[in-house]
Amino acid sequence: MKASFYLWSDYGSTLFLARRLKQAGHPTLFYIKEPAAQDVGKGLVPKTTNPVPPKGSVVLFDSIGHGAIGKELRKKGHLVIGGNPLDKPLESDRPEGARIMRQHGITTPQTHEFRSIPTAIKFLDGKEGHWFVKIIGPDTSECGTYDAPVEELQRYLRAVT
């Protein structure tokens, strides 16, 4: 018997995964928390407005900040992917995430922390290859991870300043 999946999404960003699971023959329910995104996936996958997954479902969270919910669902016997207390510090605060990973013996790529975007742009001068950036902080609207060759990354950083 195939596993049943319950995908908890804030805005519907795992629609592709819900569709793929459904295509593979898995019973799939797609829950979207935010009212403004309720039409995402309409007609493509089975959806629910119930934030409580059916018993026996594998629960998959597509965003951070659901540690308390994930903890409760684990207590109730669900297999949960994501939704853990460490997801926010690991994703949103990369220097802290790297510290936590190193503390537990996980090798991480070399990391450079900058207090300003102009400093990061200047750091990239003369560098080659692809670089990755995660912009975090209280005064930023951007929080996605972006990777690109140096010149493209510098243009991106100028655009989000």
Side-chain angles (χ1 to χ4, degrees):
M1 179 173 193
K2 295 205 175 208
S4 295
F5 287 89
Y6 177 95
L7 288 86
W8 173 299
S9 180
D10 283 350
Y11 294 95
S13 63
T14 50
L15 174 60
F16 75 94
L17 181 56
R19 291 188 67 208
R20 186 72 180 99
L21 289 166
K22 180 185 168 204
Q23 288 170 347
H26 294 279
T28 304
L29 271 178
F30 194 42
Y31 169 74
I32 298 176
K33 180 181 172 188
E34 294 299 324
Q38 291 304 305
D39 288 339
V40 172
K42 190 175 184 178
L44 298 175
V45 294
K47 295 182 67 180
T48 183
T49 57
N50 187 351
V52 179
K55 187 174 174 94
S57 296
V58 176
V59 180
L60 190 144
F61 287 92
D62 72 353
S63 55
I64 63 170
H66 300 294
I69 299 167
K71 185 176 181 179
E72 283 302 310
L73 292 173
R74 284 181 182 91
K75 282 182 186 176
K76 293 178 180 178
H78 288 281
L79 174 61
V80 179
I81 301 168
N84 67 69
L86 283 179
D87 64 7
K88 197 162 188 172
L90 289 173
E91 178 64 21
S92 297
D93 186 343
R94 289 296 171 94
E96 175 64 7
R99 186 194 66 72
I100 291 168
M101 288 186 271
R102 283 191 303 271
Q103 179 182 348
H104 289 88
I106 299 170
T107 303
T108 63
Q110 185 179 23
T111 302
H112 302 275
E113 185 177 350
F114 302 98
R115 297 288 173 194
S116 74
I117 291 175
T119 305
I121 292 169
K122 185 173 174 67
F123 169 83
L124 289 168
D125 285 340
K127 302 288 192 279
E128 294 181 6
H130 271 71
W131 287 78
F132 298 80
V133 65
K134 174 77 169 189
I135 299 173
I136 56 174
D139 299 328
T140 61
S141 60
E142 173 65 39
C143 68
T145 303
Y146 191 79
D147 71 288
V150 171
E151 287 181 21
E152 183 180 332
L153 187 56
Q154 286 176 314
R155 279 194 308 273
Y156 168 77
L157 288 169
R158 286 184 190 98
V160 296
T161 334

